[in-house]
């Protein structure tokens, strides 16, 4: 790990072994990221998926990449086809791929090449309950997660659901990376508070990069 990554001036924060918040890491590309999210969502639109138990998620999602995370009454899976359009998900752009690789590299994860990016859209009141990212075949690769728009409270727990999570504030341009011994940590997002962000209005977007296969 680069020593200056955690200098006093940085807003970087260690979450655990192999896991950190990189404060403002994506700030120089946030406008382009948001423009690309909007353009892609004209093809594969945001939708509130159903869980296996039949509940609608309060976070709306679509994917880009050769694989996309899908939830319905049959459970969770990665699928190359968007079930709503019947066609492949939009491709992962060079901007997305480059940002994910640079953030992973900052934590010492070399050559991270994600094949899936879940795009989450939160409105005030949306939340994501504690979960592990466990539908990927390759748990050797890290998760890279980019925050855009309204601030959120990230919940960072332990390797068991019962461990009470710590709370971290994530703002526009922050990137969280977790892998290695922290790859299977339970995490989530607390109920989004009302607000108005210059880049997104009353929304928060999150890009979660994974290597699914
Ligand atoms: C996720 O765990 O998939 C999303 C995390 C976030 O929105 O910050
Ligand atoms: Fe997750």
């Amino acid at each position: 790990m680069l020593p200056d990554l955690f200098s006093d001036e940085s807003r970087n924060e260690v979450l655990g072994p192999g896991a950190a918040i990189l404060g403002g890491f994506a700030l120089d590309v946030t406008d382009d990221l948001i423009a690309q999210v909007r353009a892609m969502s004209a093809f594969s639109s945001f939708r509130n998926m159903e869980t296996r138990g039949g509940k609608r998620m309060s976070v709306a999602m679509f994917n880009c990449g050769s694989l996309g995370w899908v939830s319905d009454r049959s459970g969770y899976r990665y699928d190359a086809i968007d079930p709503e359009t019947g066609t492949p998900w939009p491709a992962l752009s060079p901007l997305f791929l480059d940002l994910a690789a640079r953030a992973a590299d900052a934590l010492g994860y070399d050559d991270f090449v994600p094949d899936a990016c879940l795009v989450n859209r939160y409105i005030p009141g949306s939340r994501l309950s504690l979960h592990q990212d466990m539908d990927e075949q390759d748990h050797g690769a890290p998760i890279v997660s980019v925050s855009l728009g309204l601030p959120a409270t990230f919940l960072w727990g332990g390797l068991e659901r019962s461990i009470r999570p710590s709370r971290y504030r994530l703002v526009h341009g922050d990137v969280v990376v977790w892998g290695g011994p922290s790859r299977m940590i339970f995490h989530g997002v607390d109920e989004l508070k009302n607000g108005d962000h210059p880049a997104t209005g009353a929304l928060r977007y999150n890009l979660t990069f994974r290597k699914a296969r």
Side-chain angles (χ1 to χ4, degrees):
M1 202 173 288
L2 304 172
D4 67 354
L5 198 55
F6 297 99
S7 69
D8 285 349
E9 311 90 76
S10 79
R11 281 182 41 251
N12 298 339
E13 215 163 342
V14 178
L15 295 173
I21 299 171
L22 303 173
F25 189 88
L27 267 182
D28 53 345
V29 291
T30 49
D31 288 349
D32 290 340
L33 294 172
I34 291 167
Q36 291 192 15
V37 164
R38 288 181 177 144
M40 288 189 292
S41 70
F43 294 93
S44 277
S45 49
F46 282 104
R47 81 292 304 264
N48 296 86
M49 297 185 201
E50 242 181 324
T51 64
R52 200 191 331 243
K55 278 196 193 163
R56 286 274 160 208
M57 301 179 73
S58 62
V59 180
M61 306 171 174
F62 73 90
N63 293 272
C64 51
S66 56
L67 290 167
W69 185 84
V70 180
S71 174
D72 59 25
R73 293 227 177 192
S74 65
Y76 314 115
R77 65 180 185 280
Y78 277 96
D79 203 318
I81 300 296
D82 176 351
E84 288 209 349
T85 63
T87 62
W89 305 98
L92 267 166
S93 72
L95 173 70
F96 276 43
L97 286 167
D98 175 66
L99 173 64
R102 282 189 295 115
D105 190 60
L107 270 281
Y109 302 108
D110 297 344
D111 304 320
F112 177 52
V113 185
D115 51 15
C117 176
L118 178 64
V119 184
N120 293 313
R121 185 185 68 192
Y122 296 73
I123 59 172
S126 297
R127 57 188 291 274
L128 196 61
S129 53
L130 276 187
H131 65 278
Q132 293 168 301
D133 290 357
M134 50 150 45
D135 303 320
E136 301 73 32
Q137 271 168 24
D138 183 358
H139 291 169
I143 303 287
V144 173
S145 168
V146 180
S147 290
L148 300 166
L150 285 184
T153 300
F154 188 57
L155 307 173
W156 180 255
L159 290 170
E160 281 164 47
R161 188 185 295 278
S162 57
I163 294 174
R164 190 189 176 135
S166 302
R167 301 164 67 82
Y168 294 91
R169 185 176 157 88
L170 293 181
V171 302
H172 185 65
D174 286 355
V175 179
V176 189
V177 179
W178 64 97
S182 294
R183 174 61 179 76
M184 299 308 287
I185 292 279
F186 277 90
H187 59 279
V189 177
D190 203 355
E191 207 172 286
L192 197 79
K193 293 213 175 78
N194 238 316
D196 185 18
H197 192 278
T200 62
L203 296 174
R204 172 179 187 257
Y205 296 115
N206 166 263
L207 315 175
T208 300
F209 294 91
R210 293 97 178 258
K211 181 156 168 42
R213 294 217 176 114

